[in-house]
């Protein structure tokens, strides 16, 4: 008798459930076999003859065990309810003096490894594992105390209460790991956040408690030392800021030039005259010193609320988790084994916000707001490469933001670390090579990227509007951008845009005409020139031979 698909599915489900049960039992058996672990398999195992956290006489700065707990899969059915532990952990993070150079002395690297990581290597954790009690975290709660802190630390004081996957600092977490391995950083170093509070007020607004508005970072990230003081100081949990707010002065040669041309006004408030320049011998120069621009700014690290991110992209949370696990080389097994943990700190770049004028005006609908959302382009933004319009677009937008602020409004530039349309600089340069060798015409612009990357753009602007909601922005009067993806994402998120305008034609470098015409023909916004597909073959960039001198 033929076996139906339903029966096969049922059998497969039963086999998977048996596998889950077997792995769960194996993990619990492993935890019973660990010696000298009175409370949890998460605690490090002492190694005879090697100093540990428990031995004050250790010759080096106290270090932690970063071993995760044992392995078992979550139950095949049934929900998981996470509650706070019955007895709060009151262990404090050890604050140690800076390590001097690499760990030296009589210890070998193997002994140092045992000192840093005395327990066995465990690859992941599971919801039903003994000792696991994630600190409550309710994304979208109205108050910080109700929402709870984001805890991803694997320090002994926090590892059992971790409620987030990943590590702080995004891609820079790799450099932290290197510093620990080299002995230049104590893994138990406790940051001193005295005098680090924001000098600019970014207060809570209703979108902070709307789980559909902010899903890509922690809206309380800049207030962590104050709103989670109890968790840090009394409970000893390793809770860290993921946003920092500060003030600064911008000094750009393009703004100096604009001021000399009379296009920027020195008002003594937003735009000020720079200090006199100095000659080589140290004497004061008679040369025009240029201008400086006063700004407020915020650096934001990504903290993803996975259900919200999945919903934003129109996919299931399970598919999102599987893709993140598989296509990061399996870096984060807990994406699969910890469905109860809903927050993930991805190893990607964050963003920076630059505010021109009074930050309080961002949420004041009576004030005119000028906006530029800019995605990183190191080659143009920093080094002035003329194959694209990124730098002239950015500097033009900054000037527009300054002018708007000087008229009583406020300007905002958001700078995302999405190099090369989030394809990366290596891919971008490969595309450049293909374009220059195959004939750099506008009709091949997007096709060249697709031939190498498989897609013409991976920035996917669905998460971008979160930062605007965090800032309290309710409408955009002027948007300096020709990107329909950015425009559509902002408007779809509930923020209307009253006017948009593109880069003036005279600011477009000749070699980047290929990019601009290709974008206009593809449907990007243009207030002037219209380009058809038939016109694209006529727009050609210069060859390498023209750049060889």
């Amino acid at each position: 008798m033929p076996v139906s698909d339903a029966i096969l599915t049922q059998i497969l489900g039963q086999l998977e459930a048996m596998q889950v049960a077997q792995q769960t039992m194996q993990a619990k058996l492993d935890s019973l076999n660990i010696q000298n672990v009175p409370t949890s398999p998460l605690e490090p195992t002492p190694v005879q003859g090697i100093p540990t956290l428990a031995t004050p006489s250790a010759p080096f700065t106290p270090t932690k065990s970063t071993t995760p707990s044992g392995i078992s899969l979550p139950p095949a059915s049934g929900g998981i309810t996470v509650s706070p532990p019955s007895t709060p952990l009151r262990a404090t993070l050890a604050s140690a003096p800076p390590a001097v150079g690499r760990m030296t002395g009589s210890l070998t690297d193997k002994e140092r490894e045992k000192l840093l990581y005395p327990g066995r290597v465990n690859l992941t954790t599971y919801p039903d594992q003994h000792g696991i009690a994630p600190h409550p975290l309710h994304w979208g709660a109205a108050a910080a105390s109700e929402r709870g802190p984001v805890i991803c630390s694997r320090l002994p004081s926090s590892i059992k209460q971790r409620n987030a996957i990943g590590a702080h600092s995004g891609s820079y977490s790799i450099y932290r790991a290197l510093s620990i391995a080299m002995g230049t950083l104590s893994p138990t170093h406790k940051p001193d956040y005295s005098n680090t509070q924001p000098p600019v007020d970014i207060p809570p607004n209703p979108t902070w408690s709307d789980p559909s508005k902010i899903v890509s970072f922690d809206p309380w990230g800049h207030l962590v030392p104050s709103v989670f003081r109890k968790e840090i100081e009394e409970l000893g949990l390793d809770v860290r800021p993921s946003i920092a707010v500060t003030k600064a002065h911008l000094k750009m040669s393009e703004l100096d030039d604009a001021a000399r041309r009379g296009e920027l006004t020195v008002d003594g408030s937003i735009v000020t005259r720079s200090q006199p320049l100095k000659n080589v011998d140290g004497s004061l120069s008679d040369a025009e010193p240029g201008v400086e621009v006063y700004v407020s700014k915020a650096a934001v690290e990504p903290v993803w609320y996975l259900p919200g991110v999945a919903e934003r992209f129109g996919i299931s949370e399970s598919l999102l988790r599987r893709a993140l696990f598989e296509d990061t080389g399996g870096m984060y097994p807990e994406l699969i084994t910890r469905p109860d943990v809903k927050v993930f700190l991805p190893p990607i770049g964050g963003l920076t916000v630059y505010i021109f004028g009074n930050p309080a005006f961002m949420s004041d609908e009576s004030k005119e707001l000028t906006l530029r959302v800019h995605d990183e382009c190191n080659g143009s933004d920093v080094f002035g490469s003329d194959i694209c319009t990124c730098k002239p677009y950015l500097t033009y937008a900054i000037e527009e933001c300054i002018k708007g602020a000087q008229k009583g409004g406020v300007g905002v530039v958001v700078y995302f670390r999405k190099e090369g349309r989030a394809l990366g600089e290596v891919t971008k340069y490969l595309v450049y090579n293909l374009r220059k060798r195959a004939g750099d015409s506008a009709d091949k612009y997007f096709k060249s990227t697709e031939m190498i990357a498989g897609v013409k753009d991976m920035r996917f602007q669905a998460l971008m509007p979160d930062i605007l909601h965090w800032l309290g922005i309710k409408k955009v009067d002027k948007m300096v951008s020709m990107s329909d993806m950015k425009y559509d994402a902002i408007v779809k998120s509930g923020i209307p845009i009253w006017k948009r305008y593109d880069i003036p034609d005279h600011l477009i470098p000749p070699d980047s005409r290929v990019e601009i015409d290709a974008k206009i023909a593809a449907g990007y916004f243009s207030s002037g020139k219209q380009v058809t597909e038939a016109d694209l073959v006529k727009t050609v960039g210069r060859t390498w031979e023209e750049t060889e001198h």
Side-chain angles (χ1 to χ4, degrees), residues 375-387:
D375 293 322
E376 178 183 30
C377 177
N378 181 66
S380 178
D381 296 343
V382 178
F383 293 98
S385 172
D386 66 350
I387 199 171

Side-chain angles (χ1 to χ4, degrees), residues 287-340:
E288 170 62 42
V291 298
E292 296 176 6
V293 180
Y294 175 80
V295 297
S296 305
K297 60 182 183 178
V300 182
E301 293 176 0
V303 178
W304 286 7
Y305 176 59
L306 292 172
V309 171
E311 182 178 1
R312 195 75 63 87
F313 287 112
I315 59 177
S316 67
E317 182 186 343
S318 61
L319 174 57
L320 173 64
R321 285 174 175 266
R322 183 65 182 267
L324 290 172
F325 170 72
E326 295 287 355
D327 292 293
T328 57
M331 286 176 64
Y332 302 99
E334 287 173 315
L335 286 167
I336 305 300
T337 66
R338 293 299 301 275
D340 59 316

Side-chain angles (χ1 to χ4, degrees), residues 215-236:
V215 300
S216 60
F217 61 89
D218 179 5
W220 299 96
H222 61 310
L223 302 175
V224 162
S226 58
V227 297
F228 298 122
R229 185 183 303 275
K230 177 183 177 182
E231 287 82 357
I232 296 172
E233 296 184 358
E234 295 182 26
L235 302 183

